[in-house]
Amino acid sequence: MTHLHPPASLRRVIGWDLGGVHVKAALVEGGRVQAVVQAPCPLWNGLPALDATVASLPDWARAPARHAVTMTGELTDCFSDRADGVAQLAAWTARNLKGEVAIYAGRSGFVAPEAAASRAPDIASANWHATAALVGTMQPDALLVDIGSTTADLIPIRGGQPRAIGYSDAERLETGELVYTGVVRTPLLALSQTAPFRGRRTALMAECFATTADAYRLLGLLLAAEDQQDTADLKGKSTHETEIRLARMIGRDRHEGTSADWARLAAFFAEAQLRLLHDAAGLILSRGELGEGELGEDGLDHAAPVVICGAGRFVAAGLAARLGRPVVDLADLIAPRLAPEATAFASTCGPAVAVGLLAAEG
């Protein structure tokens, strides 16, 4: 429906990113992001988990509005496959979000919820495309690095457009544009098979005793507001309890090392993760210059900055430094369209902010 003079409720846009472990929402009014929120959502338990999470959000998230929705939750194992997940999540939005709903289909733009099932390949896990599309309107040439709780997206942007070679998760895993590693949920075992401890190299226990949240929490890098998931042992997040989990990764008890030992072990895992991301970035940037300053079709000039966002943007900043490129935080890039009270979570919830702004401007 076209509104020549839309009511106030439809001048309000809410951008949603429905993930498999978090729900993120951004309120856009008057062309500015006014509020941003993230809440944990164990979607693997089924759609009732989504009902409960949305019920816990601020009142504005449930108010009438134009809703722009992107998703990654379709890959959760409560659905039979990704197409089923897209169809069920789109139908949920149509039933539960008050107002007009549009589903982000990446390279195909926005589609109505009832059309989502037929456009599932475009919709599934296209949240990275929304962020890259928004960044391209302000920074025509850049490497977008969005590191979240679970995954990392590395997307080249040229001429204001996302220039990823892959599109689906499977394709982007092949190209290095998706690295399945994040700063909260990734088991430390996924980062290395061995680790140094007190001058010796030890094999790791093949168990999910600890995750990256433990490493970054111990290093003081993971903000408490970003640390929303349960620990591997379902116990607390104190330094003492975190060191216990790290010690178990090398078959030890906490008393067998000092606080400095466990901090060094945590730093090793942080470095191992950064190396994975550096390798992926190197692969992407190798598309670059053909010679005499001429760029390949998907190459990036050496001066193009790294635009960082996600809960792990502190890791992305370290990656930018390794690449020798300037770094720009997403919140700084969109500052003219960002209310001060929305700043804290704007970078963390990049795709929700992006679909909200894209829908508001479209």
Side-chain angles (χ1 to χ4, degrees):
M1 179 182 295
T2 299
H3 294 269
L4 296 179
H5 301 286
S9 63
L10 294 185
R11 292 196 297 271
R12 178 189 304 125
V13 177
I14 300 176
W16 294 89
D17 184 8
L18 304 181
V21 294
H22 294 103
V23 167
K24 303 172 184 180
L27 173 65
V28 181
E29 290 182 309
R32 300 184 78 204
V33 181
Q34 303 293 340
V36 185
V37 65
Q38 171 182 284
C41 178
L43 186 56
W44 56 87
N45 291 328
L47 290 175
L50 187 55
D51 296 331
T53 295
V54 172
S56 73
L57 298 181
D59 290 344
W60 58 258
R62 294 180 300 280
R66 292 167 53 210
H67 299 274
V69 181
T70 187
M71 64 183 71
T72 60
E74 78 287 336
L75 58 81
T76 310
D77 53 16
C78 67
F79 305 119
S80 60
D81 57 25
R82 284 172 168 79
D84 176 51
V86 167
Q88 289 203 47
L89 286 171
W92 182 94
T93 66
R95 291 192 308 270
N96 291 279
L97 301 181
K98 299 177 182 178
E100 297 180 357
V101 178
I103 308 296
Y104 188 68
R107 55 195 173 190
S108 298
F110 287 96
V111 300
E114 58 268 24
S118 64
R119 306 304 290 269
D122 290 331
I123 294 168
S125 297
N127 63 347
W128 62 271
H129 191 283
T131 312
L134 177 67
V135 169
T137 65
M138 293 167 286
Q139 183 65 56
D141 296 286
L143 178 66
L144 170 65
V145 180
D146 182 349
I147 303 176
S149 64
T150 310
T151 62
D153 297 305
L154 292 83
I155 310 299
I157 299 168
R158 279 278 309 278
Q161 299 296 320
R163 297 297 289 268
I165 294 176
Y167 188 87
S168 68
D169 283 348
E171 292 167 349
R172 294 191 305 119
L173 284 168
E174 293 173 346
T175 61
E177 293 157 347
L178 171 61
V179 184
Y180 225 90
T181 194
V183 296
V184 176
R185 299 182 68 244
T186 300
L188 293 181
L189 185 66
L191 303 178
S192 180
Q193 293 183 326
T194 63
F197 185 75
R198 292 190 165 183
R200 294 186 177 183
R201 183 162 294 276
T202 176
L204 301 182
M205 304 286 271
E207 296 281 356
C208 186
F209 285 132
T211 67
T212 44
D214 292 305
Y216 291 119
R217 189 184 307 116
L218 199 58
L219 294 172
L221 296 173
L222 183 65
L223 298 176
E226 313 276 12
D227 192 3
Q228 296 184 340
Q229 296 297 312
D230 290 333
T231 61
D233 59 4
L234 301 179
K235 295 182 180 178
K237 297 178 180 179
S238 68
T239 297
H240 181 102
E241 291 162 307
T242 299
E243 290 175 346
I244 287 173
R245 287 187 290 271
L246 280 171
R248 285 180 177 146
M249 288 303 306
I250 57 170
R252 293 182 179 272
D253 292 319
R254 176 179 175 271
H255 67 80
E256 296 180 73
T258 65
S259 293
D261 289 328
W262 305 128
R264 280 190 287 268
L265 185 60
F268 165 78
F269 287 115
E271 169 66 19
Q273 186 173 56
L274 185 55
R275 289 179 185 177
L276 292 177
L277 294 163
H278 196 179
D279 286 347
L283 177 62
I284 292 166
L285 295 173
S286 72
R287 305 169 191 170
E289 298 186 12
L290 298 177
E292 301 298 327
E294 182 183 359
L295 291 176
E297 181 180 358
D298 297 296
L300 282 176
D301 182 84
H302 69 278
V306 176
V307 176
I308 63 172
C309 61
R313 55 194 175 277
F314 60 90
V315 178
L319 176 61
R322 286 218 176 160
L323 297 174
R325 290 177 178 267
V327 62
V328 181
D329 192 289
L330 178 64
D332 295 329
L333 190 65
I334 64 172
R337 289 182 270 183
L338 192 60
E341 53 270 29
T343 302
F345 262 95
S347 286
T348 302
C349 303
V353 169
V355 288
L357 286 173
L358 291 172
E361 296 166 1

